Amino acid sequence: MKKRILSALASAVIGFGLLFSPMAGQTAHAEEGNSGDIMVLYTSDVHCGINMGLGYGGVAQIRETMENKGYTTLLVDNGDAIQGDIVGTASKGDSIIRLMNKAGYDAAIPGNHEFDYGVENFLSLTEKAEFPYLSCNLEKEGEKLLSPYKIFDVARRKVAFVGVTTPETITSSTPKYFQNENGEFIYDFCRDESGQLLYDAVQSAVDDARNEGADYVFVMGHVGYLEKCRPWTYDDIISNTEGIDVFLDGHSHDAEQVVMKNRNGEDVIRTACGTKLSNLGYVTISAEGEINNGLFSWNNSLSATELFNISNEVQDEVLAVENDLNDTLSEVVANSDVALTIYDPEEKMSDGSPLRIVRHQETNLGDLCADAYRDQLGTDIGLCNGGGIRTNIDKGEITLGEIMNVHPFNNEMYIVTATGQQILDALEWSSSALPNDSGIFLQVSGLSYEVYTFLDSRCTSDENGMFTGVDGEYRVKNVLVNGEPLDLEKTYTVGSSAYILHDNGGGMTAFDECEGRYVGKLDNQVLVDYIQNSLNGSIGEEYSDPYGSGRIVIIEGLME
């Protein structure tokens, strides 16, 4: 049984004149000296939104304000801080750790996206962090890699924090990162079908903290409430454990404030704070032991730091990181022996401007992007829509910024299991505008096909331009998957952006009935990783033909 917390624990929007004031349900404390009250501030799912919402500068300002009001504060993070934008990708999370150090975080846990640059990279970041990363369930070959909990002595009380990360991480990040060279999983998150392994890990850490004298136990969870994450959601864990006072949660990007019963029928507060610093969560423990919680919220289009011109050491560091990013993007990180293009290398528009062809025929840059998707996501097929490939890569030295600008939209990657029929429908819809341009035109990897453009497209769509089927003969023919004819009944794994596979971008609905999952990487990150890692930083002669390697053949008339 669980219920949402209402009036006494309600959140409030921070507005002009109310900036950084205590929320409803709290009593303002004396501003001189320590009142004996504790305030735990927490962030979650920041996803590199360093200057969005409240911004890290705003978080620091709130903390200082609350300390001036007499609170002893602790600041913790519930994961998914280092991934989600170019500032994380370019530094593989290092810049975010730098900001968290400056902000004075006291503890953090890994979310599933902390592993998107590899497990070893994450572990190296924990050594740079000036605060502990906690996890009771991250293991390598049966051994725990991080401390399960940490106890803080604050305001004459002992407050413990236990870390737990969703076992879904194995699949929602990149599975091969958790395997050895033989493809065997050597990292684990206490994953089993019943959930008992995870419950036992959490309970053991809670018990150990209690036995060490903890007066209060907070679980810092990156587990959320999504059905696909069962049996590892927050309510699964709470209802199967005891001894937890407060469950700080992330992963599902919600901001729900809930009270539910543990396995002994005792109330446990579950609190979450959304994403991109739109909220800063708080939990107060009064000198008398009363616990309250809520959110400092920011719902304006401008960040709090911008609107209120917040200036402090943390905001200065944010601006420095943004300046450093510009320098990082200008660094040479790869080389290409060939020019990769979205334009026709010979024909021009009537006014002499470049003729863009990536939206209606194969190009070598289209091949490269689709190959990156298939290689890095480990799927049978990679699909990349031409509208998402925005600029050339010139021959010679390549800067990180040039690679990132190929995919400037930061689309999250997605994997589906699709039938041959669904794949054929997707190709048919993507080719329906030929010979004209279409942003949904698919560049492909692991796949080849012919398009008979002398046949009229028989695709149908609804009033919103969404694909509804094919009413007649298909113009896409002779589809091969890795050299074998496409089997309409067989299933294949397909990697692309969520824009194509999940979000119906360009009216693409062919994959709506497919089972799928987010991978946790951005499209530009996948391209960077493919060039730097799989191609060893050098794009070679296999991509030399500007018109691609013959994966897509356009047949404009009947052959004699």
Side-chain angles (χ1 to χ4, degrees), residues 1 17 21 39 46 61 100 129 158 222 271 281 299 310-311 383 412 430 432 449 457 464 543:
M1 183 69 178
S21 298
M39 177 176 282
V46 174
Q61 189 66 46
M100 294 174 72
K158 293 181 181 291
H222 193 86
T271 174
N299 297 327
I310 292 173
S311 179
L383 303 176
E412 192 165 0
S430 86
S432 60
Y449 63 100
S457 172
N464 298 312
Y543 295 104

Side-chain angles (χ1 to χ4, degrees), residues 298-312:
W298 186 256
N299 297 327
N300 295 279
S301 57
L302 292 177
S303 69
T305 54
E306 183 177 0
L307 186 59
F308 291 98
N309 195 28
I310 292 173
S311 179
N312 53 40

Side-chain angles (χ1 to χ4, degrees), residues 260-292:
M260 66 170 291
K261 303 293 185 181
N262 67 10
R263 70 183 182 191
N264 290 339
E266 300 160 331
D267 283 345
V268 178
I269 294 170
R270 182 268 186 180
T271 174
C273 65
T275 184
K276 296 281 189 180
L277 294 178
S278 57
N279 304 288
L280 175 64
Y282 70 81
V283 178
T284 59
I285 305 172
S286 72
E288 296 74 31
E290 181 181 356
I291 301 176
N292 281 305

Side-chain angles (χ1 to χ4, degrees), residues 22 26-39 62-73 154-157 284-287:
Q26 288 186 284
T27 302
H29 297 279
E31 296 192 18
E32 294 183 8
N34 190 294
S35 65
D37 294 345
I38 299 167
M39 177 176 282
I62 293 173
R63 186 179 195 182
E64 180 181 352
T65 300
M66 293 300 103
E67 288 180 346
N68 288 339
K69 290 179 178 295
Y71 289 99
T72 299
T73 67
V154 287
R156 298 177 299 281
R157 281 161 290 180
T284 59
I285 305 172
S286 72

Side-chain angles (χ1 to χ4, degrees), residues 147-367:
S147 297
Y149 65 93
K150 168 120 177 130
I151 297 177
F152 293 89
D153 289 300
V154 287
R156 298 177 299 281
R157 281 161 290 180
K158 293 181 181 291
V159 182
F161 293 85
V162 173
V164 57
T165 301
T166 176
E168 190 208 14
T169 298
I170 288 288
T171 54
S172 61
S173 187
T174 303
K176 70 178 181 180
Y177 288 164
F178 303 103
Q179 301 170 348
N180 62 17
E181 61 275 8
N182 297 321
E184 302 163 331
F185 283 97
I186 58 174
Y187 295 97
D188 188 36
F189 292 85
C190 297
R191 178 187 177 101
D192 74 328
E193 291 184 359
S194 71
Q196 195 61 50
L197 285 177
L198 183 65
Y199 313 150
D200 290 345
V202 173
Q203 190 64 64
S204 177
V206 170
D207 290 346
D208 288 347
R210 290 289 186 186
N211 291 334
E212 199 173 318
D215 299 303
Y216 299 92
V217 174
F218 286 62
V219 167
M220 297 167 58
H222 193 86
V223 294
Y225 62 60
L226 301 176
E227 282 298 315
K228 68 185 182 72
C229 295
R230 291 196 182 279
W232 311 302
T233 64
Y234 78 80
D235 56 324
D236 291 319
I237 295 172
I238 292 173
S239 62
N240 284 281
T241 58
E242 60 185 70
I244 300 169
D245 295 298
V246 180
F247 198 110
L248 311 177
D249 198 16
H251 189 46
S252 47
H253 292 197
D254 68 286
E256 298 238 349
Q257 312 297 299
V258 172
V259 172
M260 66 170 291
K261 303 293 185 181
N262 67 10
R263 70 183 182 191
N264 290 339
E266 300 160 331
D267 283 345
V268 178
I269 294 170
R270 182 268 186 180
T271 174
C273 65
T275 184
K276 296 281 189 180
L277 294 178
S278 57
N279 304 288
L280 175 64
Y282 70 81
V283 178
T284 59
I285 305 172
S286 72
E288 296 74 31
E290 181 181 356
I291 301 176
N292 281 305
N293 67 291
L295 304 172
F296 296 107
S297 299
W298 186 256
N299 297 327
N300 295 279
S301 57
L302 292 177
S303 69
T305 54
E306 183 177 0
L307 186 59
F308 291 98
N309 195 28
I310 292 173
S311 179
N312 53 40
E313 289 185 357
V314 175
Q315 184 61 17
D316 289 345
E317 194 73 7
V318 168
L319 298 177
V321 164
E322 290 179 337
N323 287 333
D324 289 348
L325 175 61
N326 293 329
D327 294 336
T328 299
L329 294 178
S330 66
E331 292 179 5
V332 174
V333 296
N335 184 81
S336 182
D337 296 332
V338 299
L340 297 121
T341 188
I342 64 173
Y343 299 109
D344 194 298
E346 298 177 1
E347 292 189 40
K348 303 291 182 184
M349 300 284 286
S350 59
D351 62 0
S353 61
L355 174 63
R356 184 178 60 194
I357 59 174
V358 72
R359 297 184 182 211
H360 65 259
Q361 71 181 77
E362 182 183 353
T363 78
N364 56 356
L365 184 53
D367 287 354

Side-chain angles (χ1 to χ4, degrees), residues 47-58:
H47 286 295
C48 298
I50 62 176
N51 213 8
M52 299 175 66
L54 292 166
Y56 277 130

Side-chain angles (χ1 to χ4, degrees), residues 352-392:
S353 61
L355 174 63
R356 184 178 60 194
I357 59 174
V358 72
R359 297 184 182 211
H360 65 259
Q361 71 181 77
E362 182 183 353
T363 78
N364 56 356
L365 184 53
D367 287 354
L368 179 76
C369 294
D371 286 347
Y373 291 5
R374 183 166 70 100
D375 176 86
Q376 293 294 296
L377 303 183
T379 53
D380 299 317
I381 295 166
L383 303 176
C384 182
N385 67 300
I389 305 173
R390 307 298 289 189
T391 190
N392 293 341

